Amino acid sequence: MCGIVGYIGPREAYPILIKGLHRLEYRGYDSAGVALINNSGTLSIYKAKGKVQQLEEFSQQKDISGTIGIAHTRWATHGEPNYQNAHPHFSMSESIALIHNGIIENYAVLKEALIKKGFEFRSNTDTEVLVHLIDFIKREENTDLCRAIQLALQQGEGEFFLASDATPIVEYTKEVVYLNDNEVAIIERGKELRVVDFMNSEKSHKIQHLELTISQLERGEYEHFMLKEIFEQPRTIRDCMRGRINIEGNNVVLSGVLDNTEKFKNARRIIIVACGTSWHAALIGEHLIESLCRIPVEVEYASEFRYRNPVIYEDDIVIAISQSGETADTLAAVELSRSKGAFIYGICNAVGSSIPRNTNSGSYIHVGPEIGVASTKAFTGQVTVLAMLALTIAKVKETISQKELEGFVAELSQIPDKIEKILEKSDKIKKFSRIFTYAKNFIYLGRGFSYPAALEGALKLKEISYIHAEGYPAAEMKHGPIALIDSDMPVVVIATKNNLYEKVVSNIQEIKARNGRVIAIVTEGDTQVSKLADFCIEVPDTHEYLDPLLSVIPLQLLAYHIAVTKGRDVDQPRNLAKSVTVE
Ligand code: G6P
């Protein structure tokens, strides 16, 4: 939530900050602002409601010179998105400017105390409370300003960049330092980076090397990042499997599991915690692990789990799935599980983020930075890792035969080619998606492995088109949602070939009997459903367990094309943020 970027060095700060803010805009785009110290030492703040573009327009006629600066793009928590609440916030004396990412939970009490001491507030934010408090302590204690924030990054030649993640600084340096909780980075011109804790004790810090490249952060020929990311999936899944799937040797090697074979062999239970799209991937993981490894699995919304006083045993394995690796609730669920002695395994995308740093082991999904707020390639990467994880555990526990394993390996390795075939249908989906832009509601149905894919399809549609959409297990339709079906109601049904196929066909008949409009995802060559459905999208055949990796692709495209036709801001839909670092 919120993006922060800062610069101190010999260059002009403003262009670096603005470029950085554009890259971080996915984290929030309610308002944006910069604070700059010009060469005569004057501190100025420029901010604007709306996107970074608005800030640029606003600051056009201003003095934007200076080699020290901080900048912020906001996702509103305390106070509506407006000019007053935009960051940076000034202290009363206007000598300190603050940007901040996160929540100050006791801000109300602090604010009251500061008001009593004569402080005046211009905004409703918790950040302004913090800046006044810093100002107050600095004066009262006659001490140095040492209330620095978030991530510190170092370049050898006497310049430092700081940012919420590595994207704003990748073209300037490949060397990064990740801060842990309760650590403060002190960066001063001409001095070495220091990391201290709140008691001012020195902490050691490791310089890590970034793999990220600039081209991964650019949209290229695509109209939106989301479309680029949908089309990247054949490659990202190949990257995800590289070095882990060995087709010649018919083998799967997931080192995070193999390094901890005893833990997985003796696991009493696996609990998967996640939020949003990652939670849908977790539901597929549950099917995969239970079917292949015969270990009981529970899937939990991290936000519910952490506050439920859950039963966690020392021989439980807790798997945390998170694209960003920064989701506050998932991180808290990890910390809770750790404190109870469980073994924690992370499945994340952002290398070096907080969740991987707080786990015992794990696997990165290696799909590259995901910029579109609606997750696409991260979902298929997560499912791919979960499939490899289940197969590796099954091998270790000997709950899978060599022949079955070989079958899976062969199927998995063909998934990227099969996705390429589905992507060729994008134009067809675009054409018929126009018919459905009128709809106010959608229902998505699927069974077994397709049920989480239906949930994910519905989530994609509501996130970016703002059309209300619900995913249901197909058989549950008659316990409620069927009452909604009439000639205005589009129903998306995943009706690929599997052992529940005939039952899903009956559901389609029930929808048609009530004049519902059916968009069906079917297996290539299907003749039965195509006679019933209004529109059919064919996907290649695969193993039932891997089917969501294929059936989700047309659902991503359907949501995308509907949203574009409706003129929505696909990459930055209203009210959402990519990295939810507040609970
Ligand atoms: C936000 C994003 C979703 C994402 C969810 C969980 O809501 O908009 O796309 O699925 O957070 O994020 P994570 O980074 O933990 O996977």
Side-chain angles (χ1 to χ4, degrees):
M1 257 19 179
C2 301
I4 61 173
V5 53
Y7 178 75
I8 177 168
R11 307 187 208 205
E12 280 301 307
Y14 182 81
I16 294 172
L17 299 178
I18 288 291
K19 216 171 182 185
L21 284 187
H22 276 298
R23 301 253 170 84
L24 290 173
E25 217 172 6
Y26 70 89
R27 300 173 73 98
Y29 32 84
D30 296 333
S31 61
V34 293
L36 295 161
I37 301 181
N38 72 12
N39 293 341
S40 49
T42 310
L43 173 63
S44 317
I45 286 182
Y46 306 120
K47 48 193 197 178
K49 183 180 169 189
K51 299 194 169 189
V52 179
Q53 174 82 31
Q54 267 86 57
L55 171 65
E56 279 184 280
E57 283 161 18
F58 175 77
S59 18
Q60 248 166 23
Q61 307 301 326
K62 315 277 187 225
D63 173 16
I64 48 159
S65 65
T67 52
I68 300 178
I70 53 173
H72 188 273
T73 174
R74 179 167 185 250
W75 186 87
T77 56
H78 296 66
E80 63 174 281
N82 60 21
Y83 174 83
Q84 282 80 7
N85 292 329
H87 296 212
H89 290 281
F90 257 146
S91 59
M92 279 217 323
S93 57
E94 303 207 342
S95 59
I96 305 172
L98 182 72
I99 52 173
H100 154 240
N101 178 17
I103 283 182
I104 298 151
E105 296 206 329
N106 58 343
Y107 88 103
V109 182
L110 293 171
K111 188 169 181 173
E112 216 181 294
L114 286 163
I115 289 171
K116 281 193 188 135
K117 292 193 189 307
F119 282 84
E120 283 166 21
F121 285 81
R122 293 172 254 219
S123 78
N124 310 110
T125 64
D126 51 348
T127 310
E128 198 186 5
V129 175
L130 183 60
V131 76
H132 288 332
L133 187 64
I134 292 169
D135 195 19
F136 176 70
I137 293 169
K138 189 168 174 281
R139 280 191 280 122
E140 284 291 297
E141 306 283 322
N142 193 21
T143 178
D144 273 348
L145 171 69
C146 185
R147 185 81 172 182
I149 321 163
Q150 315 299 335
L151 311 167
L153 309 153
Q154 184 179 25
Q155 190 176 23
E157 297 307 309
E159 58 182 1
F160 300 105
F161 302 81
L162 67 91
S164 312
D165 67 33
T167 54
I169 51 103
V170 64
E171 67 224 76
Y172 309 111
T173 181
K174 290 280 185 206
E175 300 198 321
V176 299
V177 172
Y178 296 102
L179 287 189
N180 293 312
D181 279 352
N182 305 331
E183 285 183 350
V184 178
I186 302 171
I187 54 175
E188 288 175 274
R189 202 189 288 279
K191 293 201 184 158
E192 289 289 305
L193 164 77
R194 283 173 59 223
V195 177
V196 297
D197 64 15
F198 288 160
M199 304 310 290
N200 217 24
S201 313
E202 292 286 330
K203 305 282 286 186
S204 63
H205 59 271
K206 208 163 89 198
I207 297 175
Q208 300 192 34
H209 193 78
L210 281 180
E211 299 294 332
L212 195 66
T213 62
I214 272 289
S215 64
Q216 289 178 305
L217 302 174
E218 283 165 358
R219 207 158 22 85
E221 78 218 49
Y222 291 96
E223 203 185 329
H224 296 100
F225 276 107
M226 183 179 175
L227 191 64
K228 177 185 178 223
E229 286 157 8
I230 292 173
F231 273 79
E232 273 177 342
Q233 289 174 105
R235 183 180 57 73
T236 54
I237 295 178
R238 282 189 195 105
D239 287 347
C240 178
M241 294 192 294
R242 183 160 301 123
R244 293 164 164 176
I245 288 280
N246 175 348
I247 311 162
E248 288 82 49
N250 292 312
N251 205 0
V252 188
V253 180
L254 205 62
S255 54
V257 174
L258 295 178
D259 292 345
N260 299 285
T261 44
E262 287 311 305
K263 284 274 174 209
F264 281 93
K265 261 189 193 163
N266 301 324
R268 169 188 189 132
R269 174 177 67 155
I270 291 179
I271 303 168
I272 315 183
V273 291
C275 303
T277 288
S278 300
W279 186 80
H280 296 155
L283 293 177
I284 297 170
E286 176 182 30
H287 278 257
L288 284 162
I289 297 168
E290 288 201 338
S291 310
L292 292 169
C293 319
R294 311 310 299 156
I295 303 174
V297 180
E298 284 169 27
V299 175
E300 301 269 3
Y301 282 117
S303 51
E304 289 295 312
F305 180 75
R306 61 179 287 200
Y307 285 116
R308 214 193 50 222
N309 191 15
V311 179
I312 306 170
Y313 302 107
E314 285 188 3
D315 47 4
D316 279 339
I317 292 178
V318 173
I319 300 180
I321 307 180
S322 173
Q323 186 285 129
S324 61
E326 299 291 353
T327 301
D329 285 317
T330 312
L331 184 56
V334 162
E335 280 160 2
L336 172 71
S337 310
R338 248 176 107 91
S339 71
K340 306 273 180 202
F343 180 81
I344 321 287
Y345 197 94
I347 297 180
C348 296
N349 190 32
V351 177
S353 52
S354 300
I355 293 174
R357 293 207 308 273
N358 279 285
T359 50
N360 299 98
S361 184
S363 309
Y364 282 116
I365 61 174
H366 293 308
V367 300
E370 193 180 60
I371 312 286
V373 165
S375 184
T376 51
K377 63 177 180 175
F379 174 77
T380 48
Q382 290 162 345
V383 175
T384 304
V385 163
L386 285 162
M388 294 189 291
L389 177 114
L391 290 171
T392 311
I393 304 172
K395 218 176 73 172
V396 167
K397 288 195 67 182
E398 298 178 4
T399 49
I400 191 171
S401 69
Q402 184 58 25
K403 193 154 171 283
E404 261 183 295
L405 181 72
E406 286 171 17
F408 265 107
V409 170
E411 277 300 332
L412 250 183
S413 60
Q414 285 171 31
I415 291 289
D417 291 350
K418 292 183 178 176
I419 293 181
E420 260 158 27
K421 277 185 84 179
I422 303 170
L423 292 172
E424 287 167 12
K425 298 180 201 293
S426 180
D427 282 343
K428 177 183 166 189
I429 296 172
K430 182 178 177 175
K431 254 186 221 147
F432 79 70
S433 68
R434 291 198 191 111
I435 300 166
F436 292 99
T437 47
Y438 74 88
K440 298 231 172 334
N441 299 287
F442 262 73
I443 294 177
Y444 284 69
L445 301 176
R447 289 198 74 166
F449 278 85
S450 298
Y451 164 53
L455 291 178
E456 177 57 10
L459 179 65
K460 287 292 84 84
L461 187 72
K462 65 186 140 197
E463 280 180 313
I464 59 171
S465 72
Y466 318 148
I467 296 174
H468 171 247
E470 291 303 328
Y472 262 90
E476 277 293 302
M477 184 180 70
K478 50 177 92 61
H479 299 291
I482 200 163
L484 301 173
I485 291 174
D486 60 16
S487 58
D488 283 338
M489 176 64 91
V491 186
V492 179
V493 187
I494 305 175
T496 44
K497 282 274 162 58
N498 57 42
N499 62 349
L500 294 167
Y501 172 77
E502 295 298 341
K503 296 184 191 298
V504 176
V505 173
S506 305
N507 294 136
I508 294 176
Q509 259 149 352
E510 288 156 12
I511 300 161
K512 288 313 297 174
R514 286 154 184 88
N515 294 322
R517 310 187 73 180
V518 173
I519 304 165
I521 313 297
V522 296
T523 306
E524 271 173 6
D526 185 291
T527 49
Q528 218 176 327
V529 174
S530 54
K531 287 193 198 110
L532 297 169
D534 298 75
F535 294 94
C536 272
I537 310 163
E538 290 193 338
V539 296
D541 195 16
T542 187
H543 193 292
E544 178 187 351
Y545 294 7
L546 303 177
D547 195 64
L549 285 170
L550 301 184
S551 56
V552 79
I553 308 291
L555 304 186
Q556 295 169 346
L557 287 167
L558 181 67
Y560 172 80
H561 288 304
I562 290 179
V564 171
T565 312
K566 287 181 83 79
R568 303 302 193 212
D569 188 344
V570 170
D571 283 337
Q572 295 177 341
R574 70 183 181 201
N575 303 340
L576 298 178
K578 181 106 193 116
S579 192
V580 184
T581 53
V582 294
E583 61 171 296

